[in-house]
Amino acid sequence: MENASHVSSFTLTAFGDMVLEKSLHEPMYICLCNLFMNALLGTASFYPSFLNHLLSDTQVISYGFCYLQMCVMYTYIMGEMTILTAMAYDRYVAIYLPLKYNTVMSCTNLYRLLLAVWIYPVVMVSFALIFSLSVPLCGNQINKLYCHNWDVMKLSCVDTTVNNILGFLVYASFIPLFSFIVYSYIKILIVCHNSSKEHNRKALQTCLPHLISLISFYATVLSEAIQSRLNTKNVSTIVRTITSLELLIVPPLLNPIIYCLILPEIRKRVVKTFKRKQIGTRLTIPNAFFNKDKL
């Protein structure tokens, strides 16, 4: 006890092996890291509040926190789209313009791209919610497990045509992003069609998880938009609840799985990490056992 000292902090050493993998310090994987960070942002806007309401006798959310939840959640939704667009651009340059890849996707250009990826959804969402904050409300019951701008606007005491148009413009801003993704993949498919089978296989291998992420995301967004804007009184509450939660459950859970299974560099790293932990466990347990016997 003489050598004991006051401990005020702890160092989490397990992170050392994760961040030093140089083979993953490439634009594609950096964009992928931002995609996972955005998923954490989206789930953080819902699950803490959801768990709190499950454990409470009353499911009440304050006015300020309701708008904060909407701000974070919509930033996640738009951020998912902008990040997927940036990833499509990265694959487009890598496959369609391989000789210019290192120049176009330099560190400086990559950081500028990621800055735009995050600023765009924050500005768009903030602009839309500022208009919503100015609308007087005549009710306080939202038929969802979380705050949703469309359902809040249904409680308005005044006409919300301007807000509806603004909401439509926000959704319409997805169109140019989606159009570019379609254009980039048309170009990629043309290159793959004219290249060797090996090059074709590698190109499609890196693009497949992105396409799955894109399809799952757009499917959940479309499902949420239809469920929110159409008259769903004849639909059971369970079905409405499930469809409203797809956007917060499917992409955050599906993306890590498909990228780890399909992308070889990530799969190798995961397997390497697990093997290292298994070897470390095999070496540690016998040593601890024998030392115990000596005591």
Side-chain angles (χ1 to χ4, degrees), residues 5-184:
S5 61
H6 178 68
V7 177
S8 60
S9 62
F10 298 91
T11 301
L12 306 177
T13 59
F15 279 97
D17 293 336
M18 298 180 187
V19 299
L20 296 179
E21 187 65 28
K22 297 298 182 181
S23 62
L24 300 181
H25 291 189
E26 297 179 5
M28 181 177 70
Y29 299 112
I30 294 175
C31 291
L32 183 59
C33 179
N34 279 263
L35 185 69
F36 293 160
M37 289 171 57
N38 186 60
L40 291 176
L41 178 69
T43 53
S45 69
F46 170 70
Y47 285 104
S49 174
F50 175 67
L51 293 174
N52 178 59
H53 290 153
L54 285 179
L55 299 174
S56 302
D57 294 330
T58 57
Q59 289 70 44
V60 178
I61 185 171
S62 67
Y63 181 87
F65 190 80
C66 179
Y67 274 89
L68 176 62
Q69 186 182 55
M70 287 193 295
C71 182
V72 177
M73 192 173 297
Y74 289 137
T75 301
Y76 150 71
I77 294 172
M78 295 206 67
E80 191 87 357
M81 189 65 251
T82 55
I83 294 171
L84 288 173
T85 305
M87 294 175 71
Y89 177 70
D90 172 76
R91 291 298 84 202
Y92 165 76
V93 177
I95 298 173
Y96 191 72
L97 303 170
L99 298 179
K100 297 182 179 180
Y101 182 78
N102 291 332
T103 303
V104 175
M105 296 302 294
S106 63
C107 289
T108 302
N109 291 338
L110 177 62
Y111 293 149
R112 289 174 180 171
L113 179 63
L114 292 177
L115 185 63
V117 158
W118 285 104
I119 288 179
Y120 179 76
V122 171
V123 171
M124 290 291 291
V125 171
S126 300
F127 182 69
L129 290 182
I130 286 173
F131 279 86
S132 299
L133 284 168
S134 63
V135 175
L137 306 177
C138 292
N140 66 342
Q141 294 186 356
I142 300 175
N143 191 26
K144 264 190 174 59
L145 296 179
Y146 55 87
C147 286
H148 189 274
N149 188 58
W150 182 263
D151 292 273
V152 172
M153 289 301 98
K154 290 179 181 178
L155 306 175
S156 172
C157 303
V158 297
D159 182 64
T160 59
T161 302
V162 175
N163 297 80
N164 295 340
I165 293 174
L166 189 59
F168 173 78
L169 292 177
V170 171
Y171 276 106
S173 66
F174 284 9
I175 297 176
L177 301 178
F178 181 75
S179 299
F180 172 78
I181 293 174
V182 172
Y183 168 80
S184 65

